[in-house]
């Protein structure tokens, strides 16, 4: 290799190295910092639904449009960096304005869906329990009542306690629960028992 060729190769390698350093310093470093910076807007809490099969790109676009994040590229970079694209979970999430993009990604990956505090006082029958749950935003009253009144469901959930029970009447425990608003009637019944 001639001296001129070596100089050309060294010059190109130097330019490439400088380009990589500039990319890291001027592009990746700001993304890293932004990943840990809370959203500056004070919009309060936002409920955000992620549908089954949603990809990182569509989630990032919708998060930015709803004001949960200020830059979709920060979210996408955080997901790609940690190779989490296939682990984003569907559900209804609650995001506060103080949440960082990294915390938001962690919440979606771990499936920390929004929950509602639901209080069921003592003395409610199954119909009043279904009505109280529906009034507090968890489920449809008729669907809940059907789950509480279903003999097959009763045998499955309390058969070891009462094999002749035709419903869950008397087995729906009064307490305060934290339930996702999208919890199905069967899952609500199992939780209350």
């Amino acid at each position: 290799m001639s001296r001129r060729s070596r100089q050309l190769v060294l010059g190109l390698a130097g330019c490439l190295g400088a380009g990589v350093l500039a990319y890291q310093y001027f592009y990746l470093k700001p993304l890293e910092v932004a990943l840990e910076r809370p959203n500056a807007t004070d919009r309060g809490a936002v409920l955000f639904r992620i549908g089954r099969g949603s990809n990182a790109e569509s989630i990032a676009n919708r998060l930015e449009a709803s004001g949960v994040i200020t830059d979709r590229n920060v979210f996408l970079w955080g997901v790609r960096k940690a190779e989490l694209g296939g682990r984003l979970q569907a559900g209804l999430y609650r995001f506060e304005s103080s949440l960082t993009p990294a915390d938001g990604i962690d919440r979606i990956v771990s499936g920390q869906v929004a929950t509602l505090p639901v209080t069921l006082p003592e003395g409610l029958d199954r119909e009043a329990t279904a009505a109280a749950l529906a009034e507090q935003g968890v489920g449809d009253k008729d669907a809940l009542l059907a789950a509480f009144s279903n003999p097959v469901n009763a045998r499955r959930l309390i058969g070891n306690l009462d094999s002749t029970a035709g419903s869950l009447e008397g087995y729906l425990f009064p307490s305060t629960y934290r339930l996702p608003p999208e919890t199905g009637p069967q899952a609500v019944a199992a939780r209350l028992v």
Side-chain angles (χ1 to χ4, degrees):
M1 183 185 282
S2 72
R3 182 172 186 214
R4 183 167 168 83
S5 296
R6 273 185 261 144
Q7 286 177 338
L8 183 61
V9 169
L10 288 174
L12 287 173
C15 286
L16 181 62
V20 168
L21 288 174
Y23 175 75
Q24 288 178 335
Y25 185 76
F26 293 109
Y27 183 72
L28 295 182
K29 182 70 172 164
L31 286 175
E32 188 71 37
V33 170
L35 202 55
E36 299 298 331
R37 187 180 317 127
N39 193 351
T41 61
D42 187 19
R43 59 171 162 49
V46 172
L47 286 177
F48 185 84
R49 182 179 313 284
I50 297 175
R52 293 192 190 283
S54 295
N55 62 26
E57 185 85 22
S58 68
I59 294 169
N61 290 339
R62 292 182 44 242
L63 284 169
E64 184 179 58
S66 65
V68 172
I69 60 174
T70 56
D71 185 351
R72 63 185 284 290
N73 292 320
V74 172
F75 179 86
L76 289 171
W77 184 77
V79 169
R80 285 185 195 122
K81 175 186 167 203
E83 299 177 358
L84 299 172
R87 296 180 46 205
L88 301 174
Q89 297 188 40
L92 181 66
Y93 294 88
R94 183 175 196 264
F95 295 113
E96 302 80 22
S97 59
S98 62
L99 195 73
T100 68
D103 291 338
I105 292 167
D106 289 343
R107 190 172 288 181
I108 295 169
V109 168
S110 64
Q112 295 175 25
V113 295
T115 58
L116 297 173
V118 178
T119 301
L120 298 173
E122 289 186 36
L124 299 181
D125 63 10
R126 65 180 183 245
E127 190 168 327
T129 300
L133 288 165
E135 286 172 14
Q136 294 179 68
V138 177
D140 173 71
K141 177 186 172 196
D142 295 332
L144 289 165
L145 184 57
F148 299 161
S149 302
N150 184 327
V152 174
N153 202 27
R155 281 192 297 280
R156 182 178 62 83
L157 292 172
I158 60 170
N160 61 337
L161 299 173
D162 184 355
S163 60
T164 62
S167 74
L168 296 176
E169 187 76 50
Y171 293 95
L172 302 171
F173 189 72
S175 187
T176 297
Y177 299 90
R178 294 206 59 89
L179 299 171
E182 299 174 331
T183 306
Q186 300 299 331
V188 171
R191 182 79 184 272
L192 298 184
V193 168

